[in-house]
Amino acid sequence: MGTDARSLLQLLAEDADAGAFDAAVAQARAAGLPAGELNALERDRVIALRLRDTLIRHRRNEAELQLLNDTANDLAAMRDLDSILQAIADRARRLVECDLAYISLGDDDRGDCYIRAAAGNISGLLVGLRLAPGSGLGGMVARTGEPCSVEAYLHDTSLHHTEAIDRTVAAERIESLLGVPVKLKQEVIGVLLAAHRAVRSFSSRDITALSMLANHAAVAIENARLLAAAQTAVGDLRIANATIGSHVDDLERTADVHERLTKLVIQGKGVDEVAHATAGAVSGHVLILDEHGTVVAGSGPEDGQPPPSIAEAGVEARRSGHTLVRDHLCAVPMITESEPLGTLVHVGTSTVGDTDRRILERAALVAALVLVTRRRMAEAEARVRGELLGELLTSQAQDVDLLRHRASILGVDLDACTVLVVAHLHGRVRERIYPALAVLARRFRGLATHHHDTVVFLAPGDEPRAVARSVAGELARTVRDQVTAGVARVPHPTAVTTAHDEAEKCLRTLLALGRRGETAQTADLGFVGALFNSRPDIAGFVEATLGPVLAYDRAHGSGLVRTLEVFCASNQNARSTAQELHVHHNTVSQRLTRVARLLGEDWRQAERLLEIQVALRLNKLGDL
């Protein structure tokens, strides 16, 4: 090998540029090297340049392979999809030695794709840009699944241009563009693109290198998706496990409450105990309202009418027939097949959860069961008490000893029951009147029944009017309307029928006189009671009406009674009265003033004056 050939090898080893090889041949020619040796040197120069190109290609391939290998390792270590996509864009820009690289992924929900990451971008329009199917170079690659490149994008008429894409291309100053598909199992899931801001062509090496990077990208993207799906599944499993554990706890808690409430029913406890037990199981306060919205039981001291918000919730729950949850309040209707019983209302310190709601619904069911059981027991007791009182009302010849024994079983002393009340209920009589009668009879240690269209009540007591007013008041609260009642004294158990007739006549008289809602004995009805009573007390009526005047005449020998007789007979004319009595007009005025002091200033009112006139007539008849 000649000296010049060795110099070419030296240049090759030094990785000199192509001009250095040409300079070596030129120097040999200038030195006068023979033509044969020059021809040989020229051949060696061509071979050296070929070797140089081969070495450069090998180095490039090695660098590309190293870059792809590093990229694969880096991508394998990444877990976040956005980080993976950004790394792919950065490596693509280095691999193809381009100005700009970016990657788009398909959106299955919308049926298009959009750019997820970019490297070398200079505008804010690229990332997030959506590409309609088939639009732009990326859309064509996604549709065909084959690589595609253009040297002048904006002037290429083979592409489907859109205003948004062209505006972004212009903003990024893109000229040449290469796109390769990102495939996973022959399905295009995205497009990897490289761009130059000058007109350049892309070599097959560029396409191959970018395609290899796209293959790595597809695997990394799928791994990231699978990892995300696995993490989501693990999270879902953890949530499901926690949910199952929570449900188990809730079920155990609900079962425990149900067991406690069931024991209350077995033990015969009332709704008060149900309310307290429920309040102990849920955080808050529990009220039980009847069908009218009145508090009948609760875990606190509340009684009577609840606050408006609670009353409104109770009404809405009863109307809908379903549980009502509103902020910190939960209302559960208590409904049987026949009628609504009321509402269980929970007022908590936080929003009512599903478990608490289920507990409250079970508590409402137990409370309804307790109320129905108590009501049925009361109805049965009312029937027994009513049957006994019914026998006293319908027969004169009774086995008193047997009746006394039956009454004692119910805790009633028949001989002590000296007051009989007959009441007319102006409100519509409902089923609840029967348990109410049982409760009322038990409280007064008496008997009660619904007889024809009235309620008959037999009870002990020294004050018939007071007993009657208490009974009428309780019944009025039950029917939520007025109650009119007549009352009579019962001297002996065998006189119940007679007392009933008297009290009923008194009741009918009150109704006939329009005295609705009043309670009275025969003596309270004035002359009407005296005249129409089965045992009229004429003397008692006269004494009750004119007693003070009669007593004054007896004590002073005056003529007040005679003056009243003439005054009423003369149509209440004082002058005519004076003439009839042959006294001065002033004398009559003084006597009438005295009468007013004795009988009261209202003695001249029509109804009172009528009773006075009747009493005067009866008194006169008694003197005959």
Side-chain angles (χ1 to χ4, degrees), residues 32-46:
L33 197 68
E37 292 183 11
L38 283 174
N39 290 335
L41 184 60
E42 181 65 30
R43 289 193 298 272
D44 291 341
R45 183 187 70 83
V46 172

Side-chain angles (χ1 to χ4, degrees), residues 70 110 125 153 163 335 339 424 448 468 486 562 570 622:
D70 293 343
R110 297 183 53 167
L125 303 177
Y153 179 88
E163 181 181 353
I335 301 175
E339 63 175 328
H424 175 73
R562 175 59 182 163
S570 62

